[in-house]
């Protein structure tokens, strides 16, 4: 099926995705695992310190106290979640609105372009 240029643009505004978080589009591939690894490393370090304090004493009570501290310590939930990128139409609208706020574009012209984008996205 052959599509007209208008149909292609409409589909592009709806289906193409853009990262509006403000980082490189490939950065999340590395930063998400890096954040998780950092959290896990901190948890292992805390557990190691707790066990090192109990290792020096042959006292059973100290060992039980260390075990309870480890069991009672809840792991911190990872704050950053994966978030889907935004459709291209929303990204273009966002950038146009930001240009108007910063005084880099005429409001009337940007409003007209935003209306056209919204009409095409339907």
């Amino acid at each position: 099926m052959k599509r007209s240029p208008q149909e292609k643009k409409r589909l592009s505004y709806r289906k193409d995705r853009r990262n509006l978080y403000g980082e490189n589009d490939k950065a999340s591939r590395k930063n998400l695992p890096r954040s998780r690894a950092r959290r896990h490393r901190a948890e292992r370090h805390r557990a190691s310190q707790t066990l090192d304090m109990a290792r020096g004493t042959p006292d059973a009570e100290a060992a039980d106290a260390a075990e309870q501290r480890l069991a009672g310590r809840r792991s911190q939930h990872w704050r950053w979640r994966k978030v889907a990128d935004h459709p291209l139409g929303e990204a273009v609208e966002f950038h146009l609105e930001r240009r108007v706020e910063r005084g880099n574009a005429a409001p009337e012209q940007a409003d007209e372009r935003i209306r056209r984008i919204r009409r095409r996205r339907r």
Side-chain angles (χ1 to χ4, degrees):
M1 174 180 163
K2 250 190 156 171
R3 292 196 169 112
S4 69
Q6 293 82 4
E7 180 65 20
K8 286 180 184 178
K9 186 153 197 158
R10 186 176 301 118
L11 288 172
S12 175
Y13 275 146
R14 210 177 311 145
K15 294 190 174 200
D16 292 354
R17 310 297 274 185
R18 291 295 184 272
N19 183 344
L20 291 182
Y21 185 68
E23 63 185 8
N24 184 315
D25 58 341
K26 291 157 190 72
S28 55
R29 259 192 326 202
K30 294 179 181 179
N31 288 337
L32 291 171
R34 189 179 292 151
S35 299
R36 292 184 64 204
R38 198 174 292 131
R39 186 194 73 215
H40 290 300
R41 202 175 302 131
E43 288 176 10
R44 287 194 306 269
H45 181 71
R46 249 184 261 115
S48 174
Q49 284 182 327
T50 303
L51 291 176
D52 283 346
M53 287 190 303
R55 256 188 215 132
T57 61
D59 187 14
E61 289 179 23
D64 287 339
E67 190 175 325
Q68 286 178 354
R69 270 194 305 257
L70 282 176
R73 194 176 281 260
R74 293 177 53 126
S75 66
Q76 297 173 354
H77 289 288
W78 193 40
R79 289 188 312 235
W80 308 109
R81 298 277 181 221
K82 292 183 180 183
V83 178
D85 291 340
H86 297 274
L88 177 61
E90 284 182 24
V92 172
E93 280 184 40
F94 171 75
H95 290 297
L96 286 171
E97 289 167 355
R98 195 168 65 179
R99 281 184 203 160
V100 170
E101 287 172 8
R102 292 181 176 176
N104 296 334
E108 306 82 33
Q109 190 178 18
D111 287 341
E112 177 56 34
R113 290 177 74 186
I114 289 171
R115 267 196 299 278
R116 278 188 295 179
I117 291 168
R118 287 182 180 160
R119 196 172 54 232
R120 285 185 183 131
R121 275 195 334 200
R122 280 189 252 148

